[in-house]
Amino acid sequence: MGDTAHDSGGAGRTEPGISAEDFGLDGPRGQVFAGIRFEAPPGSVVALEGPSGSGRTCLLLALTGRMKATAGHALVDGRRLPGQLAAVRRISALAAVPGITDLEPSLSVAEQLRERTLLQRRFGGSLRALLRPRRERAAASRDRVDRALRAAGLDLDDLPKGPRTRVRDLERLESLRLSLALALIGEPRVLGVDDVDLKLSGDERDQAWSLLRSVASSGVTVLAVCSEAPPGAVAVRTGAGSTRQQPPPAREYAGTGKERKEAADALAETGRA
């Protein structure tokens, strides 16, 4: 497996926010991905495209410090992988990754947001923030949630039952927006999103990519797993035929069961740091 990347932005290149050189991962069943090479400046949308089972999700996890690569290296906001896994995890967040960021179907949207806010306040904040008066902490948390919801394009009042809408009752695009909002509460510099174009209509797919471009415009580098890279993205292809420079033809997304099995096997082999 190998990779080449193209960036339709062309001129005006800056120091890359993320770069990889011969980045690879071997699992118990053999090579998961290999030869990944690309550069992307801060605020880019990086599309990790390829067929189901080609290692896209594993690559996403490796570039966000959740899985340890076994070949080559990558730089993420100046932090080197695979050596600085914990440092990369601290500046990155994941959204819509099955088995890792699953939403709780029985919770309301408000409850899901409240749960994430409490976790962020307890484990993601600085010591100085924890020592602030409770009223100030609560106000700061509300502001953080409001900013995340705006960035994710999720208006709670537009949901069928407002904030009381159960997660299981959300449409696919709404669920993606909620997962993005939860990730953005942590104010990451790198955002990893799995299955961007899964079970979306053409119009919904356009909306999803427009949303991710909007997030990236704020300076967050977005890594997005997909079957086909959108125009303007830095395209990083995994799997057979990965030397091709142009995105593959449009096709139905076949699911990711095999790929998730590879991810689980690779995690068991390399260990999630």
Side-chain angles (χ1 to χ4, degrees):
M1 300 181 191
D3 161 81
T4 58
H6 66 274
D7 179 358
S8 61
R13 293 176 66 86
T14 61
E15 188 67 23
I18 299 182
S19 65
E21 184 65 32
D22 293 328
F23 203 51
L25 173 65
D26 291 333
R29 296 185 176 185
Q31 198 175 76
V32 180
F33 61 81
I36 300 297
R37 299 181 299 276
F38 72 95
E39 292 185 358
S44 298
V45 174
V46 182
L48 309 180
E49 66 169 0
S52 176
S54 64
R56 302 166 305 174
T57 299
C58 293
L59 177 57
L60 178 74
L61 295 176
L63 288 171
T64 53
R66 273 74 178 180
M67 186 178 289
K68 188 174 183 179
T70 56
H73 69 271
L75 287 174
V76 180
D77 198 48
R79 294 150 178 86
R80 189 179 179 90
L81 292 173
Q84 295 180 281
L85 293 171
V88 171
R89 287 198 302 275
R90 283 194 292 270
I91 60 150
S92 63
L94 296 174
V97 182
I100 298 178
T101 65
D102 296 313
L103 303 176
E104 177 51 58
S106 63
L107 292 182
S108 70
V109 172
E111 289 169 338
Q112 188 85 72
L113 288 164
R114 190 177 306 118
E115 179 182 87
R116 178 59 60 86
T117 302
L118 290 173
L119 288 171
Q120 175 64 34
R121 189 187 303 171
R122 185 178 182 90
F123 299 109
S126 65
L127 179 59
R128 173 180 287 184
L130 289 173
L131 295 176
R132 294 166 64 184
R134 178 176 296 181
R135 181 176 298 180
E136 289 185 18
R137 295 201 308 270
S141 293
R142 286 194 297 272
D143 288 344
R144 188 182 287 239
V145 170
D146 288 343
R147 289 196 301 271
L149 289 171
R150 286 195 300 273
L154 184 62
D155 188 336
L156 301 187
D157 293 332
D158 288 342
L159 299 178
K161 295 183 180 179
R164 295 181 293 108
T165 302
R166 297 291 172 186
V167 168
R168 62 172 167 257
D169 296 326
L170 295 176
E171 299 292 337
R172 162 64 182 162
L173 188 57
E174 292 171 338
S175 179
L176 177 61
R177 290 183 187 277
L178 175 58
S179 191
L180 288 171
L182 294 171
L184 291 170
I185 286 174
E187 299 181 339
R189 293 200 281 278
V190 176
L191 174 64
V193 189
D194 201 8
D195 288 341
V196 170
D197 48 8
L198 176 65
K199 296 181 180 178
L200 294 181
S201 67
D203 180 63
E204 289 172 334
R205 193 173 301 172
D206 290 343
Q207 291 182 58
W209 285 117
S210 178
L211 171 60
L212 294 182
R213 291 188 191 98
S214 176
V215 171
S217 71
S218 70
V220 177
T221 303
V222 176
L223 296 163
V225 169
C226 60
S227 58
E228 181 179 356
V234 177
V236 179
R237 184 162 175 80
T238 59
S242 58
T243 57
R244 179 170 46 189
Q245 290 283 339
Q246 298 301 319
R251 57 188 176 279
E252 286 296 317
Y253 195 84
T256 58
K258 178 181 177 183
E259 184 171 11
R260 289 172 191 154
K261 173 63 175 171
E262 290 287 348
D265 289 344
L267 282 170
E269 176 76 8
T270 63
R272 186 186 302 163

